[in-house]
């Protein structure tokens, strides 16, 4: 659990600097919608992995880093931007 947490926070820190400024150019609502769709797909895949009883640690570390990390780095900036419009 600690590895998943650290990798996810690392990815959020990197991608917030890369994708954060893109929210303003693409539009906050479009970015937030894309983020929510991405999280739906990610959570569905994790559910499928759990049903199939896949217990490889690296699989969950990678999916949490990519799913939650990248989506959260875009969603946080979209939410902050939408609030202050």
């Amino acid at each position: 659990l600690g590895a998943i947490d650290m990798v996810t926070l690392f990815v959020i820190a990197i991608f917030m600097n890369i994708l954060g400024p893109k929210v303003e150019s693409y539009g906050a609502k479009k970015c937030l919608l894309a983020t929510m769709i991405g999280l739906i797909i990610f959570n569905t895949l994790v559910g499928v992995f759990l049903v199939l009883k896949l217990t490889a640690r690296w699989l969950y570390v990678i999916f949490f880093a990519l799913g939650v990390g990248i989506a959260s780095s875009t969603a946080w900036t979209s939410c902050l931007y939408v609030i202050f419009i």
Side-chain angles (χ1 to χ4, degrees):
L1 199 56
I4 291 174
D5 232 7
M6 289 307 295
V7 170
T8 302
L9 291 174
F10 182 73
V11 171
I12 288 173
I14 290 174
F15 277 94
M16 192 171 281
N17 290 322
I18 296 170
L19 297 175
K22 302 286 184 193
V23 170
E24 192 171 334
S25 61
Y26 292 141
K29 292 180 183 178
K30 287 180 187 177
C31 288
L32 195 57
L33 178 65
T35 298
M36 292 299 122
I37 291 171
L39 283 172
I40 289 168
I41 293 169
F42 162 73
N43 285 330
T44 303
L45 284 174
V46 169
V48 168
F49 293 156
L50 290 172
V51 167
L52 295 175
K53 297 183 180 173
L54 296 174
T55 58
R57 182 179 180 184
W58 62 270
L59 185 66
Y60 291 100
V61 170
I62 289 172
F63 268 88
F64 268 90
L66 294 177
V68 174
I70 294 174
S72 294
S73 67
T74 308
W76 277 79
T77 51
S78 295
C79 289
L80 294 174
Y81 187 75
V82 170
I83 290 172
F84 293 113
I85 287 182

